[in-house]
Amino acid sequence: MTQAKNGDTVRINYNGRLADGTQFDSSGNEPLQFTLGEGQVIAGLETHVEGMEGGAKSTVTIPADAAYGPHRPEAVMTVDRARVPDNINVDIGARLQVRTPEGRPMPVTVVGVDDTSVKLDGNHPLAGRDLVFDVELVEIVQAA
C-alpha cells in the first residue's frame, strides 16, 4: 500500500480535542485536503500523516511546541478602555483584530475587562496546549 510522503496532496478526516476530551475542531462532513510539506496544517499533524497509508486510522498527541507553540506572556497586553470604540464588543472571549506597530493586522482575544482597561491576548487560543487528534487518511489525492 502507498504511504503518504512529502509533496503528496492528501485528504484526512480528523477530530481534534484537548487532553481533557474537549473537542476544539473537526473536519466535519468533508475531509481536509492539504499538501504535505507546505505548512498548511500544524507541524505535528503534518508529521503524523506523513508515512500513513490510505485508509489508516490513528490517534496522536501533539505537544504544544509542534502545534501552536507555547503561551507567550509578552503577547498579552493591557490597553486603556478609552482607546477602544464604544461599538466594539469587549466581553471576555470576544475575538478582535488590532494592528501591530508595523501596521499588520493581529487577532487577539479579550481576556479581561474593567472600567479603565481591556486585557488582550495575542496568543493563538490553543497556544500552550497539547492537542489530541483522531486521524483517518481518506486518500492520497495526488502523489508527488
Side-chain angles (χ1 to χ4, degrees):
M1 191 106 198
T2 304
Q3 292 183 330
K5 64 186 179 313
N6 192 46
D8 287 351
T9 299
V10 298
R11 291 170 42 99
I12 65 168
N13 285 324
Y14 72 92
N15 284 306
R17 62 184 190 281
L18 303 176
D20 68 4
T22 304
Q23 183 173 321
F24 63 84
D25 197 11
S26 168
S27 55
N29 296 329
E30 280 292 314
L32 173 67
Q33 181 171 307
F34 62 96
T35 301
L36 291 169
E38 291 191 359
Q40 298 167 330
V41 298
I42 59 173
L45 183 59
E46 187 171 66
T47 299
H48 181 72
V49 172
E50 192 169 343
M52 287 180 70
E53 295 180 349
K57 295 180 182 183
S58 62
T59 299
V60 60
T61 298
I62 299 173
D65 287 347
Y68 294 99
H71 185 273
R72 297 173 299 114
E74 67 273 14
V76 179
M77 63 203 97
T78 301
V79 297
D80 187 342
R81 177 69 178 97
R83 291 186 58 202
V84 181
D86 290 337
N87 65 330
I88 301 294
N89 174 14
V90 292
D91 292 340
I92 292 179
R95 298 280 296 156
L96 306 174
Q97 185 169 291
V98 299
R99 295 218 174 266
T100 66
E102 297 79 29
R104 291 189 312 261
M106 180 175 97
V108 295
T109 303
V110 177
V111 294
V113 63
D114 61 30
D115 291 338
T116 61
S117 64
V118 178
K119 190 172 189 179
L120 304 171
D121 188 344
N123 286 288
H124 186 281
L126 295 172
R129 310 290 295 265
D130 293 342
L131 309 177
V132 180
F133 285 91
D134 298 314
V135 180
E136 175 188 15
L137 178 55
V138 176
E139 68 177 315
I140 300 171
V141 179
Q142 180 179 354

